[in-house]
Amino acid sequence: MSSLRDEIDMSKLPKSVAIIMDGNGRWAKKRFLPRKLGHKAGADTLENISRVADDLGIEHLTVYAFSTENWKRTEEEVGAIMDLLRNYLDRYIRTAEKENIKIDIIGEKNRLAPDIQDRIRRIEEISKDKPGMNLHIALNYGGRDDILRGVKKIAEKVKNGEINPDDITEDTISSSLDTHFYPDPEIVIRTSGEERISNFLLWQIAYSEFVFNSKFWPDYSAEDLYGDICYYQTRDRRFGGR
Ligand code: FPP
């Protein structure tokens, strides 16, 4: 069977991909299932797609798992997502020897439960020397909050006389963000047909291409990822130049 994988121009493979995994709730609703089963199916899709992206040779995949605004959902739903995260991290820790992917968390971690923070520290330590893709899971993440925290770090340095305001550059800001250690995404994919950014990486997407896929996240497959990358490769990226 032919696959869209064969259509990808490997010389122009994006290094850094970001995904807004949207539509878990609607996927569940369509099947008369509780929302938490939609998130469970979404977590399975994340596991599958991160393997597919790693296999393809993507270096960085950033996924939006829980935003600073998601706390407004019911306690039951927030609890279900946090439990899925616990399971996901525990599964990785159990099978760590066989895993290929490096995992880290971006976002404001202090508001997360202490046991989740412990698991995050463990997984970042266990996976840091893995040879494969970097999976950056955005948790309690907001683009504005990322910039706000970054600005405070810079202000603190100015206050301490470590930097002069005139020496602040775009690089100073980039290197104060949660994503300071990896390249900005060339492509941002959002599933479920919604076409907005919802406070995901704001500074980092200045030159990103957007691909909106109508599939609900639990239905998103390897072929969808290949197709979205092919579509991205048809775009003419000029970065403001000619
Ligand atoms: C958006 O769907 C999805 C989320 C807010 C949560 C994403 C979480 C996962 C994919 C699973 C848990 C994560 C990990 C790291 C294991 P929605 O609920 O907004 O869908 P809707 O718009 O259809 O209601």
Side-chain angles (χ1 to χ4, degrees):
M1 211 178 79
S2 76
S3 166
L4 289 169
R5 196 184 203 276
D6 303 329
E7 308 293 316
I8 297 175
D9 177 349
M10 293 306 282
S11 71
K12 289 198 204 130
L13 191 69
K15 278 189 173 34
S16 184
V17 174
I19 304 185
I20 302 178
M21 309 180 287
D22 195 12
N24 294 346
R26 278 163 286 165
W27 180 90
K29 192 167 180 209
K30 218 173 89 183
R31 289 167 176 72
F32 306 102
L33 294 170
R35 292 180 62 84
K36 65 179 177 191
L37 289 187
H39 294 310
K40 178 164 189 323
D44 293 342
T45 300
L46 172 60
E47 214 162 327
N48 179 41
I49 291 297
S50 50
R51 294 222 162 89
V52 169
D54 175 43
D55 196 49
L56 192 59
I58 303 283
E59 292 175 28
H60 298 275
L61 177 65
T62 311
V63 293
Y64 207 9
F66 195 85
S67 76
T68 46
E69 289 74 32
N70 284 152
W71 297 106
K72 292 185 216 143
R73 298 191 177 201
T74 64
E75 213 178 307
E76 190 196 357
E77 185 171 350
V78 170
I81 296 176
M82 293 299 161
D83 280 344
L84 283 167
L85 179 73
R86 285 185 179 92
N87 290 342
Y88 181 87
L89 298 176
D90 285 348
R91 213 160 40 248
Y92 184 100
I93 292 167
R94 268 202 311 276
T95 55
E97 297 214 328
K98 288 187 291 181
E99 301 290 344
N100 198 41
I101 295 173
K102 290 188 269 289
I103 297 183
D104 63 80
I105 306 296
I106 60 165
E108 220 286 281
K109 292 172 212 164
N110 292 336
R111 194 172 167 188
L112 302 171
D115 71 291
I116 293 191
Q117 294 187 40
D118 284 345
R119 285 172 167 89
I120 290 172
R121 275 188 287 273
R122 271 193 78 192
I123 207 151
E124 289 181 341
E125 179 57 32
I126 295 176
S127 73
K128 72 178 192 313
D129 297 320
K130 296 288 180 188
M133 181 184 78
N134 295 273
L135 175 65
H136 312 286
I137 303 178
L139 261 186
N140 189 26
Y141 180 86
R144 288 187 173 181
D145 183 62
D146 192 5
I147 295 170
L148 177 63
R149 287 183 287 109
V151 167
K152 284 186 180 168
K153 282 183 217 157
I154 298 170
E156 200 61 36
K157 286 187 181 155
V158 170
K159 192 171 87 181
N160 297 338
E162 287 167 54
I163 45 172
N164 187 321
D166 288 338
D167 296 335
I168 296 174
T169 62
E170 290 192 4
D171 276 348
T172 319
I173 298 175
S174 295
S175 49
S176 305
L177 301 178
D178 289 345
T179 50
H180 62 91
F181 58 102
Y182 69 95
D184 292 343
E186 292 108 301
I187 163 175
V188 180
I189 298 166
R190 182 172 188 146
T191 59
S192 90
E194 305 287 349
E195 302 190 354
R196 55 178 174 268
I197 202 68
S198 301
N199 200 16
F200 197 26
L201 312 161
L202 294 179
W203 174 271
Q204 298 88 339
I205 56 169
Y207 292 103
S208 306
E209 298 288 336
F210 292 88
V211 176
F212 298 107
N213 190 304
S214 60
K215 289 260 184 89
F216 293 142
W217 175 249
D219 290 329
Y220 194 79
S221 65
E223 285 301 310
D224 289 309
L225 181 67
Y226 302 147
D228 288 345
I229 291 174
C230 289
Y231 181 43
Y232 152 83
Q233 290 185 331
T234 64
R235 309 270 181 95
D236 180 14
R237 304 186 76 212
R238 289 195 294 270
F239 303 95
R242 282 305 311 165

